[in-house]
């Protein structure tokens, strides 16, 4: 436990809640000077105070001790935010088999939404249908208010995506890959491109050929290409496939930065539930082509259970292998 980090976290949370040190002191029956010492890292709260303090500040005891949230803050109320993606009664079948069934989904500005489900649940089919890689059998898709069927090009200008692994020119440098992507999207803002390169921590290797990149670096370059056209929505299908633990952590931190610093909404599908739990603020569970539950991560954490436990309770996941290839 880092007392200084914990103290800064307590102060940050207290100010977010609009509380004074005296407010906390009165609630816990201690002096405001004791709270001040916590915030300055001089002392740490006694174990007796951890439960009520975490409840007051809206975090778990573990988050309080670690000095950071495990998942992002809950977003503003939905009615105050713009709708970025709106899917209504979306269905897709192959032959006589329905893969997704009358799905409704809304993603708001600033959301990071995780799409999870067992093998064959319909996750990838849903994403590919939203992107018009598959044509739906029924239902509608709107991105930033634009109907994807009627205004495809205008709608897709608002979307960046990676489906499993990015398509890159491996014999060219990272910089040339970005230049080609910028030309294809009529982007001439070199300052913005430099900003993306730094955000994705590629600046020291951007002039190297892509074939020399690690898998993690290729994923980051793919993300950079996806961000070139300044999308409002980033769609990622199994972006951590094949990455080692360090690569997964780097990608997780970058996705959080993209969401917070660029105000890009994110829809991410992954079979690594621990990563979804760390990245997302809302979870959509899909099984047998139906959305069976939508949950806020804060509500799951309030139960003091993991996303995996919640997932297994809501689906047939205890009898199915999560992840892998699907229709």
């Amino acid at each position: 436990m880092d007392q200084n980090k914990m103290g800064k976290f307590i102060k940050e949370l207290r100010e977010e809640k609009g509380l004074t040190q005296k407010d906390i002191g009165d609630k816990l029956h201690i002096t405001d000077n004791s709270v001040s010492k916590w915030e300055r890292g001089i002392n740490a709260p006694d174990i007796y105070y951890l439960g009520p303090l975490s409840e007051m500040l809206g975090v778990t005891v573990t988050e309080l001790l670690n000095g950071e949230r495990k998942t992002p803050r809950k977003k503003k109320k939905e009615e105050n935010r713009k709708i970025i993606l709106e899917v209504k009664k979306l269905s897709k079948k192959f032959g006589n088999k329905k893969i997704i069934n009358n799905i409704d989904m809304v993603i708001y500005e600033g959301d990071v939404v995780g799409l999870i489900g067992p093998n064959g649940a319909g996750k990838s089919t849903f994403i590919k249908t939203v992107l018009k890689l598959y044509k739906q059998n029924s239902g509608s898709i709107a991105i930033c208010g634009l109907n994807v069927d009627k205004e495809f090009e205008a709608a897709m200008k608002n979307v960046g995506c990676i489906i499993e692994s990015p398509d890159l020119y491996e014999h060219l440098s990272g910089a040339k890959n970005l230049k080609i992507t910028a030309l294809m999207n009529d982007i001439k803002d070199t300052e913005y491109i430099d900003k993306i390169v730094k955000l994705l921590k590629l600046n020291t290797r951007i002039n190297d050929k892509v074939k020399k990149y690690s898998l993690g670096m290729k994923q980051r370059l793919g993300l950079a290409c996806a961000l070139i056209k300044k999308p409002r929505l980033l769609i990622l299908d199994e972006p951590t496939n094949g990455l080692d633990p360090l690569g997964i952590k780097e990608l997780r931190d970058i996705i959080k930065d993209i969401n917070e610093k660029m105000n890009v909404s994110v829809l991410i599908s992954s079979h690594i539930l621990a990563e979804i739990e760390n990245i997302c603020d809302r979870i959509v569970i899909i099984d047998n082509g139906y959305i069976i539950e939508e949950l806020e991560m804060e509500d799951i954490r309030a139960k003091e259970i993991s996303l995996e436990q919640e997932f297994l309770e809501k689906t047939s996941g205890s009898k199915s292998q999560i992840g892998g290839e699907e229709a």
Side-chain angles (χ1 to χ4, degrees):
M1 180 183 69
D2 185 329
Q3 282 189 196
N4 286 323
K5 185 177 181 181
M6 183 182 181
K8 289 176 182 177
F9 190 49
I10 291 171
K11 182 179 180 182
E12 175 191 330
L13 294 170
R14 175 179 62 76
E15 291 175 347
E16 277 181 18
K17 296 285 184 182
L19 300 171
T20 65
Q21 292 176 344
K22 188 175 186 304
D23 291 333
I24 292 178
D26 289 347
K27 185 77 174 179
L28 298 179
H29 306 293
I30 57 176
T31 66
D32 53 350
N33 187 49
S34 295
V35 179
S36 175
K37 287 182 177 179
W38 292 348
E39 293 185 356
R40 287 180 286 153
I42 296 172
N43 294 328
D46 188 88
I47 191 170
Y48 175 80
Y49 299 115
L50 291 177
L53 181 60
S54 64
E55 188 176 341
M56 284 181 70
L57 299 177
V59 293
T60 65
V61 171
T62 300
E63 288 174 318
L64 193 63
L65 289 170
N66 289 339
E68 61 183 359
R69 290 181 175 88
K70 193 174 181 182
T71 57
R73 274 195 302 261
K74 199 167 185 175
K75 305 292 181 178
K76 297 176 183 177
K77 289 185 178 180
E78 293 171 350
E79 59 266 25
N80 297 327
R81 294 187 286 146
K82 294 178 182 176
I83 294 175
I84 301 299
L85 173 67
E86 186 170 22
V87 174
K88 293 182 179 178
K89 306 299 179 187
L90 191 69
S91 294
K92 173 62 185 175
K93 63 182 181 179
F94 295 102
N96 294 322
K97 183 177 176 61
K98 251 191 180 180
I99 307 300
I100 53 175
N101 297 274
N102 295 316
I103 286 182
D104 293 324
M105 182 187 289
V106 175
I107 294 180
Y108 295 89
E109 186 175 49
D111 271 348
V112 183
V113 178
L115 182 65
I116 63 174
N119 264 357
K123 302 184 299 294
S124 290
T125 297
F126 173 76
I127 285 174
K128 289 174 182 177
T129 305
V130 167
L131 294 169
K132 299 300 289 181
L133 297 174
Y134 296 148
K135 181 173 174 56
Q136 75 266 32
N137 293 101
S138 61
S140 64
I141 307 158
I143 296 171
C144 297
L146 299 166
N147 185 293
V148 172
D149 289 309
K150 297 176 181 177
E151 303 167 277
F152 176 76
E153 288 189 13
M156 287 300 157
K157 283 182 179 178
N158 294 291
V159 183
C161 67
I162 297 181
I163 307 298
E164 292 194 0
S165 58
D167 291 323
L168 301 167
Y169 298 101
E170 299 219 352
H171 63 289
L172 299 178
S173 68
K176 286 184 178 178
N177 270 268
L178 287 175
K179 187 174 182 179
I180 290 169
T181 306
L183 286 170
M184 290 171 64
N185 289 280
D186 196 28
I187 302 296
K188 300 173 183 176
D189 188 346
T190 55
E191 188 175 327
Y192 171 71
I193 295 171
D194 289 342
K195 177 183 174 183
I196 291 174
V197 169
K198 289 177 183 176
L199 180 67
L200 273 70
K201 301 174 183 176
L202 288 166
N203 42 308
T204 60
R205 298 286 304 278
I206 198 64
N207 291 312
D208 292 353
K209 288 187 177 180
V210 173
K211 63 184 179 183
K212 296 180 180 179
Y213 283 11
S214 66
L215 183 58
M217 289 180 66
K218 289 177 182 177
Q219 286 290 72
R220 281 185 273 147
L221 180 60
L223 269 176
C225 291
L227 293 171
I228 281 286
K229 55 184 176 179
K230 303 181 182 180
R232 304 288 302 282
L233 175 65
L234 184 63
I235 298 178
L236 306 172
D237 188 19
E238 301 289 357
T240 57
N241 269 1
L243 297 183
D244 61 21
L246 178 59
I248 290 172
K249 182 184 183 303
E250 286 177 343
L251 192 65
R252 177 181 71 213
D253 293 341
I254 285 168
I255 291 169
K256 287 181 179 179
D257 279 347
I258 290 168
N259 171 247
E260 293 173 5
K261 295 179 181 178
M262 300 179 69
N263 196 31
V264 175
S265 302
V266 182
L267 173 62
I268 178 170
S269 169
S270 176
H271 65 280
I272 304 178
L273 297 186
E275 283 311 303
I276 290 286
E277 187 172 5
N278 283 332
I279 294 171
C280 300
D281 48 42
R282 183 154 55 93
I283 305 299
V284 176
I285 302 176
I286 184 171
D287 197 9
N288 295 314
Y290 294 92
I291 287 181
I292 60 169
E293 193 79 58
E294 246 185 87
L295 300 158
E296 297 283 346
M297 269 310 307
E298 286 198 358
D299 295 334
I300 297 173
R301 287 186 298 148
K303 297 179 185 179
E304 297 189 347
I305 64 173
S306 69
L307 176 58
E308 180 180 24
Q309 290 172 294
E310 184 75 32
F311 174 81
L312 293 175
E313 284 180 12
K314 301 292 183 184
T315 70
S316 55
S318 57
K319 297 179 182 179
S320 304
Q321 182 184 358
I322 301 169
E325 296 295 324
E326 62 178 62

